[in-house]
Every structure is written in C-alpha cells, then in structure tokens.
Amino acid sequence: MEYSDVIADNILAARHMFKLIHTADWHLGHKLDKFDRTHEHEHFFDWLLTHIQEHEIDGILICGDLFDSSNPSIQAMKLFFDFILQAKQYCPNIVITAGNHDSAARLDAFRSLLHALGIYIIGSIPDNLNDCILPLYNRNQELSAYVVAVPYIRPMDLPPPPVLENGNQSQQRIISGISDIYSKLLASTVSQQSYSRVPIIVTGHLFMVGSQQTSESERPIQLEVGNIQGIPVDIFSKDVDYVALGHLHRSQRISYSCPIYYSGSPLILSFAETDYVHQVLEVQFHEDGKQPVIIPVPVPVLVKMYDISGSFDRICELLNDLAIQYPLFQADEARVRVTITEHEPKTGIKGQILDSVKDSRINILGIRIQGNNHCFSTQQETENRQLVDLSPIDVFRSMYYEKYPQSELPNELQQAFLEILESATQILESM
C-alpha cells in the first residue's frame, strides 16, 4: 500500500459526518396577486435556522434565484442579509450562487465583504475559474468537502457565436461552452485534492435533460432558447459526489451515475405548484465515504393555497367548506384559484363566488371559466401575468408572431435579441 493511501484512509476514518442543506429558488420579494410574501419568507427562515441548530448542519448551499427580480426591494435584501448573518452563527459554511432571476453584478458587489465574514457568494463566472473552488471544513476544522460553486451561466460567459450560425451549431456551442467550464473546474478540483479524498460537490443553475418542468412560474432560462431541451448530464464527471441544482421549483432527482438533485423552492410560487411538497434537502456525507444520504425536509406551510375546479355548484360547495375552516376570528388564511367548468354562460358568477367567502379568511386570487370564451380574473392577477410572468424573450416572440404570424422566429434573431438584452442588463446594473 502506498504511503499516500495510508494517509488518505486515516483522514477518511477520522472525519466526522458532514451535513449540508441544499436549497434554492427563494424568490425573495415575490408577490402572488396583491399579496406580499415577506411574512412567509420570515417564517421559512425562522424554521430553517431552528433546523440548522438542532441538526448541527455544517454547510448551506443556496443555488440561485435568491430574489424574484434583478432589482430587489430593500425589504427583500434585508431579509436575505439578516438570514445569512444569523445562519453563519450556527453553520460554519455558507455558499451562495446566483440564478437567472438575480443580478450577478449586484451579488458580486458584496463578495469581498461577505468573504471576510466567512460567507462565499458568486454572482458571475469569475475571470479566474479557480475562485469557484471552495474548501469546506467541519466543526472540528477538518477539510470535509470541496464545492465547485458555479452560478447561472450567462451568454456572455460563453464563446461568442460566429457571424453565421444555424440552430444546431448554436445548441452545440452553448452545451460545449457550459461543459468546458465544468470540465476545467472539476479537473482543477481533483488536482487540488492531493491525498485528501473528500467529497466533491458541484452547484449549478441549469435546466437538465431528464428534468420535469411543471410550474407556470418558472421562466425560461436564456440558455434554453434555440430549441435546446436541456443540458446533458454527462457534463459532470465520475469524480463528482453530489450535484446541487437550482431553477426548477419541484424537488427531483435526475438519473445519472452520481446524485443530481434539484432542491425545489421552499414556498409555493404559483397555483401550478400546489400538488407537491416544497422542501429543502439535507445531504449527509458519512465516514465510510460512500454516496451521500439525501433526506427531504418538508418546509412548514404558513399560508395554504388551493387550486379548485369543477362545476359552479361544486365550486360553491368547496368554498363553503373552506370558509368554515378559515373563519374571520382565526389567524390562518388561505388563497384560492377557482376554475369553473361550465358550457353554458351564467350571469353574476364572480359576485356569487366572492360573496360566498366574504366572512372568512379566504382570498380569491382568480376566477376562470372553461368551456366557453368567457373568463374572469382579478385585475391584479391580470397585471401580474403581464408584468411578471412574461419574460423579455416571451414579449419579443409575441411581437414577432404578431407581425409575422405565418413564420417561425429565426434562431439567429432570437440569439441576437438575448445578447442585446444581456448587454443592456449589464449596463443598467453597473449604473
């Protein structure tokens, strides 16, 4: 047996269990209809702090979309900084990477300050790729893992397109560019390991092949345009022990030789997300050095959300039952979206629906009728769909199809728009 192997085995035997929390897609500052989510985020942070303390968590990985917009409110930023500063008191390692909703430049502006406090934050791909490779230590100051902390990869982080490029070439260039970034980082990480066989953890804010996108609130990532269905899993090498992803709001595992997980969002961000549990993931690396144990940890729900559908009579029955569960004198509340399936139009439906819950803690956020051309919604919900749920590329596509309804949007035109948008965003963020 080689001397280095003996040292490695002794280090592995001496190492204690190392526990991480993997979370993403907080979307601080998010509003659902007219309802602010600050109180719900505060409730989530209080719960997470308690979990970190009680379970002696060694590290937190926050994998993008910290904020709901690139220009978050002061209140949203205060929530974020209050939490990470409190969490650092109980947790030795905090690693934060940007998502497609975040301003990379804004997060990078805090890098030096937070690093001085022992908190790592990476908004954009740094000029020196090795700045993405972060050692993590347990509570006994033993090297316990390396994190390859990769934020959302923007078009400007990739090789520029040639003058002429068709759709297939664009796809291949994007995939190859992303793969090259990960390959270089992983090769450098493996070389840094020396004889210390500690786990290698990789982060990303990506849409992967084999993932399930289910939410109407998940805006397309720019790198998915040009008919790219997802990034292939083989961008991660066999040396990786865990891949922590953000972007999709449903927690899920992607099938591959190493564990690849989306943590999902801790809060329900749209009515399309009411049919599954929202959670964080606890990732445990045990002394035996085998694959980590992944433990889903459901997040307690502060405000219940219901997406109900059926005939008008059935809807009235369901709302009457809910009104009994949420009377005015109690603190609990619920938010409801109603879809009525009626083939014959009826007058006064909206008023009757709203009247049925007026003496309760039920908030109706939308009333829709399927089966004919009539559709109601609250005014604020309509405004939100226009201003929030549509990304710039969605608006661009709509304008193109309105002008040229018989043709497909050319990939090169779409790519040019995204590059201009990215440049304009960077200029605005730097002002």
Side-chain angles (χ1 to χ4, degrees):
M1 179 179 289
E2 296 290 335
Y3 176 68
S4 61
D5 292 333
V6 174
I7 295 177
D9 290 341
N10 288 337
I11 290 174
L12 191 62
R15 202 168 63 236
H16 296 277
M17 181 169 65
F18 190 68
K19 295 187 287 188
L20 297 170
I21 288 293
H22 168 200
T23 180
D25 297 282
W26 291 353
H27 289 270
L28 298 174
H30 179 261
K31 290 187 177 182
L32 189 67
D33 197 351
K34 61 181 180 293
F35 293 97
D36 184 87
R37 314 297 298 279
T38 299
H39 188 46
E40 294 169 83
H41 277 116
E42 289 173 339
H43 182 261
F44 163 61
F45 286 151
D46 290 343
W47 168 82
L48 186 54
L49 283 170
T50 300
H51 183 89
I52 290 168
Q53 296 175 62
E54 292 180 350
H55 294 262
E56 296 186 331
I57 299 300
D58 298 288
I60 308 172
L61 305 178
I62 310 168
C63 300
D65 284 356
L66 317 173
F67 301 103
D68 197 52
S69 74
S70 61
N71 186 27
S73 66
I74 297 298
Q75 185 180 43
M77 294 188 68
K78 184 178 185 302
L79 266 179
F80 169 69
F81 286 113
D82 283 351
F83 170 76
I84 61 172
L85 292 175
Q86 289 180 71
K88 189 65 175 72
Q89 299 177 40
Y90 312 107
C91 182
N93 305 280
I94 300 179
V95 178
I96 305 160
T97 53
N100 60 297
H101 280 246
D102 301 313
S103 163
R106 186 183 298 273
L107 296 187
D108 281 337
F110 297 102
R111 182 184 296 181
S112 298
L113 175 61
L114 292 179
H115 191 207
L117 300 173
I119 299 169
Y120 294 105
I121 188 166
I122 298 179
S124 57
I125 298 292
D127 294 333
N128 182 357
L129 274 181
N130 284 343
D131 289 345
C132 291
I133 302 172
L134 309 173
L136 302 187
Y137 298 88
N138 65 17
R139 296 171 186 273
N140 296 325
Q141 293 302 305
E142 301 164 337
L143 179 64
S144 296
Y146 281 105
V147 170
V148 180
V150 182
Y152 168 59
I153 300 174
R154 302 170 188 274
M156 63 186 305
D157 300 319
L158 301 173
V163 177
L164 295 176
E165 182 182 61
N166 61 35
N168 289 333
Q169 291 170 331
S170 176
Q171 294 177 40
Q172 189 55 50
R173 177 179 58 82
I174 292 171
I175 293 172
S176 296
I178 293 174
S179 179
D180 187 53
I181 289 173
Y182 278 101
S183 295
K184 289 177 179 177
L185 282 167
L186 289 170
S188 184
T189 306
V190 171
S191 69
Q192 287 188 32
Q193 276 198 313
S194 181
Y195 52 76
S196 302
R197 295 178 186 166
V198 296
I200 295 177
I201 303 162
V202 177
T203 76
H205 198 85
L206 301 164
F207 182 76
M208 303 297 299
V209 169
S211 60
Q212 184 181 10
Q213 185 173 2
T214 58
S215 174
E216 62 196 19
S217 66
E218 294 163 352
R219 303 177 195 171
I221 288 185
Q222 291 179 1
L223 297 181
E224 293 173 37
V225 302
N227 297 319
I228 293 180
Q229 299 302 312
I231 305 301
V233 293
D234 60 9
I235 65 169
F236 306 117
S237 73
K238 59 182 177 58
D239 299 301
V240 176
D241 296 283
Y242 182 78
V243 179
L245 296 179
H247 178 55
L248 298 185
H249 299 169
R250 180 192 289 269
S251 182
Q252 55 192 288
R253 177 173 184 173
I254 308 302
S255 179
Y256 191 50
S257 56
C258 70
I260 302 176
Y261 278 86
Y262 287 95
S263 66
S265 59
L267 266 60
I268 296 173
L269 298 170
S270 87
F271 283 100
E273 300 177 13
T274 58
D275 64 340
Y276 55 86
V277 175
H278 290 250
Q279 58 196 23
V280 301
L281 298 177
E282 185 174 319
V283 185
Q284 299 180 351
F285 291 93
H286 291 259
E287 295 90 336
D288 56 16
K290 294 181 180 178
Q291 285 196 339
V293 175
I294 315 299
I295 302 174
V297 187
V299 176
V301 179
L302 182 65
V303 179
K304 294 289 184 68
M305 290 174 58
Y306 299 89
D307 192 10
I308 62 175
S309 62
S311 67
F312 176 71
D313 291 340
R314 177 58 178 159
I315 291 296
C316 290
E317 291 178 9
L318 294 172
L319 289 176
N320 286 334
D321 291 340
L322 286 174
I324 294 172
Q325 295 180 45
Y326 297 92
L328 280 175
F329 57 80
Q330 72 172 28
D332 292 345
E333 62 178 303
R335 297 165 188 160
V336 182
R337 182 172 71 175
V338 172
T339 303
I340 303 173
T341 54
E342 294 283 356
H343 295 289
E344 295 296 329
K346 295 182 179 180
T347 59
I349 285 181
K350 182 179 179 180
Q352 293 178 62
I353 291 293
L354 296 177
D355 285 345
S356 67
V357 296
K358 65 180 181 180
D359 295 323
S360 71
R361 298 273 293 173
I362 303 287
N363 295 292
I364 304 293
L365 270 64
I367 303 174
R368 305 183 299 177
I369 300 178
Q370 293 181 347
N372 54 46
N373 295 326
H374 203 53
C375 180
F376 293 122
S377 66
T378 64
Q379 180 181 357
Q380 187 68 35
E381 185 190 31
T382 302
E383 292 173 355
N384 281 351
R385 282 201 301 272
Q386 293 171 344
L387 299 177
V388 175
D389 294 336
L390 292 179
S391 67
I393 189 63
D394 292 330
V395 176
F396 184 72
R397 289 192 189 106
S398 297
M399 293 177 66
Y400 181 87
Y401 293 137
E402 182 177 341
K403 190 166 185 177
Y404 306 104
Q406 303 302 319
S407 64
E408 291 293 324
L409 175 61
N411 180 68
E412 57 270 20
L413 183 59
Q414 186 169 251
Q415 185 65 33
F417 172 80
L418 291 172
E419 290 172 2
I420 294 170
L421 175 65
E422 184 68 25
S423 298
T425 302
Q426 293 295 322
I427 292 171
L428 289 172
E429 290 173 354
S430 64
M431 294 176 64

